[in-house]
Amino acid sequence: MAETDSTGSTWRYNWARRQNERRQRRHREAEAAWRRHDDELRRLRTLALDLHGSTAAGRGLPLELDQGEKVFRAWPAAQLVEMRHTAVLPAPDLTLEPHPAPLRHRPPDGVRAVDAGMAVITNRRLVFLGGSGRRDWAYGKMTGLSHDPAAPVTLIQVLDRKRTTGLRLPAPAAVDFRFVLTLAFADAIEQRDSVLAQLDELIAEHDQIRPFRQAIATPAQARLTARIPGGRRTVVVAAAITLAVPVAVLDSDPPVRSASERAVAATPATPTRPEGEPVAKPRPSPSASAAPRERRCGAPANPMGYDFCAGERIRRPDHRVCDHFDCVRDFWSGRGYLVQCRDGAVSLTGGQRGACADHKGVRRTVFT
């Protein structure tokens, strides 16, 4: 005997079962994706704590280390690349990409491989050991550094070379290569704590968007549209067809009018009003007068478009920012990105150790 509810039907139970299966499947997929990224962030933080390099790691490499130089890691499959045109790269910084996109294997346009060999990162330089010779990039001489967001290519500019060169690694190895290079550069300028603070912030932000499990659907929540094949979409399409058919019929065969009838119809009628009655002013339509609401997620109105919703972090804020936001004292001496502290003030210390320390800590990031 079929299982029935109080109405004696089974379609409600079938609808609830399908809804719960769909919700569980979506939750499992979202939870798995969230867990993968969480594990990756925590892996990078462990790497930032434990990786300090050693002279023993350089044994067996065809590379002579200087006094006090330590090898962090080596990658055996690397290519030396050059840019065919001149470009100015951004200055090296310690910014970490929170959600890096998948990298394609094809190099970007204007970049060509000129040699193949091994890449070595030490606490003082990046070295390429190739078949045609060696190429060094000392951290103290770097003036530009750029990681291609779509290809596993890192381009570098230094003081004593005019041509822009760099390295191309296999896509699976590019993430660790870029992170270890960031760590090595942070050690060179004594800013490893800033990398750790940035990872802690990324982990905390990621923890806030952990997917939650939806409530269980019950048979009583089923609507009558669930009994129709295609559900609500079928009802909407049928209603649209029902409304469209009469309109098409009316528009398909308009009545034929004589010339005199067309002339009379084209002449606007002049309404009459009693003498002395005031003329009513037309009212503007609400849709025309209402301006679209700006999306700010709680941020004050500002001409820069800064908000608390999402977007890109702000490291070089507009000079008018303190006219619209409550800036902390010594705001322009900050060296991070724009954040709002828990007391409501904004600070340029995001990603730095002790950000908003005198203002109860960081509340959220300001985006553009």
Side-chain angles (χ1 to χ4, degrees), residues 37 40-41 44 96-103 148-150 175 178 202:
H37 190 58
E40 178 64 12
L41 289 175
L44 294 178
L96 301 178
E97 182 65 33
H99 295 280
L103 301 177
D148 193 289
V175 174
R178 296 178 177 186
L202 291 176

Side-chain angles (χ1 to χ4, degrees), residues 133 242 296:
T242 303
R296 299 192 301 267

Side-chain angles (χ1 to χ4, degrees), residues 85-106:
H85 55 275
T86 303
V88 179
L89 301 182
D93 61 15
L94 306 179
T95 304
L96 301 178
E97 182 65 33
H99 295 280
L103 301 177
R104 64 174 186 265
H105 296 279
R106 184 174 62 85

Side-chain angles (χ1 to χ4, degrees), residues 331-343:
F331 171 83
W332 294 106
S333 63
R335 291 296 180 268
Y337 53 86
L338 196 61
V339 294
Q340 184 189 40
C341 305
R342 294 191 180 276
D343 63 354

Side-chain angles (χ1 to χ4, degrees), residues 23-323:
R23 293 179 184 182
Q24 291 176 5
R25 182 172 62 255
R26 290 176 179 174
H27 177 73
R28 286 194 300 267
E29 294 173 353
E31 178 74 18
W34 182 91
R35 176 61 62 186
R36 285 193 299 270
H37 190 58
D38 185 71
D39 292 344
E40 178 64 12
L41 289 175
R42 296 183 185 277
R43 183 186 71 85
L44 294 178
R45 192 185 188 282
T46 302
L47 189 63
L49 284 173
D50 300 339
L51 185 64
H52 294 281
S54 65
T55 55
R59 293 174 184 172
L61 297 177
L63 177 65
E64 294 183 4
L65 300 178
D66 297 333
Q67 185 69 26
E69 188 174 14
K70 300 178 182 180
V71 173
F72 278 16
R73 187 168 292 182
W75 286 264
Q79 291 181 335
L80 178 66
V81 297
E82 292 183 350
M83 287 191 67
R84 299 175 181 174
H85 55 275
T86 303
V88 179
L89 301 182
D93 61 15
L94 306 179
T95 304
L96 301 178
E97 182 65 33
H99 295 280
L103 301 177
R104 64 174 186 265
H105 296 279
R106 184 174 62 85
D109 296 336
V111 175
R112 62 188 182 93
V114 296
D115 199 359
M118 175 184 295
V120 181
I121 293 180
T122 76
N123 61 332
R124 296 182 180 177
R125 55 181 170 164
L126 168 63
V127 184
F128 172 77
L129 305 172
S132 301
R134 192 184 79 187
R135 184 69 60 91
D136 293 14
W137 296 273
Y139 303 138
K141 295 183 178 181
M142 285 186 181
T143 59
L145 177 67
S146 175
H147 301 298
D148 193 289
V153 172
T154 297
L155 298 175
I156 307 169
Q157 289 176 338
V158 292
L159 288 172
D160 53 356
R161 287 193 205 104
K162 294 182 179 180
R163 184 180 294 274
T164 301
T165 57
L167 294 178
R168 175 189 176 193
L169 282 86
V175 174
D176 278 1
F177 171 79
R178 296 178 177 186
F179 183 72
V180 174
L181 183 59
T182 301
L183 280 182
F185 184 79
D187 279 356
I189 61 175
E190 299 180 354
Q191 290 293 326
R192 183 179 283 231
D193 288 344
S194 297
V195 178
L196 285 169
Q198 190 175 170
L199 283 170
D200 289 337
E201 183 178 352
L202 291 176
I203 292 174
E205 291 178 355
H206 186 63
D207 188 62
Q208 295 177 359
I209 60 172
R210 183 166 187 168
F212 61 91
R213 191 182 300 274
Q214 289 184 284
I216 297 176
T218 62
Q221 296 172 342
R223 297 183 178 181
L224 292 177
T225 54
R227 304 191 67 177
I228 303 173
R232 187 181 302 175
R233 183 179 301 176
T234 303
V235 175
V236 172
V237 173
I241 294 175
T242 303
L243 295 175
V245 169
V247 173
V249 171
L250 292 174
D251 291 344
S252 62
D253 191 16
V256 179
R257 297 182 179 181
S258 63
S260 58
E261 289 175 339
R262 289 196 300 269
V264 172
T267 303
T270 303
T272 59
R273 60 183 178 87
E275 185 177 356
E277 183 179 347
V279 180
K281 297 182 178 180
R283 296 182 178 180
S285 61
S287 59
S289 60
R293 298 187 62 184
E294 186 179 357
R295 178 173 172 266
R296 299 192 301 267
C297 300
N302 61 92
M304 299 87 68
Y306 294 172
D307 59 37
F308 299 137
C309 303
E312 297 181 0
R313 292 173 175 172
I314 306 168
R315 294 188 174 272
R316 295 179 177 85
D318 191 275
H319 66 279
R320 301 167 294 175
V321 61
C322 294
D323 296 336

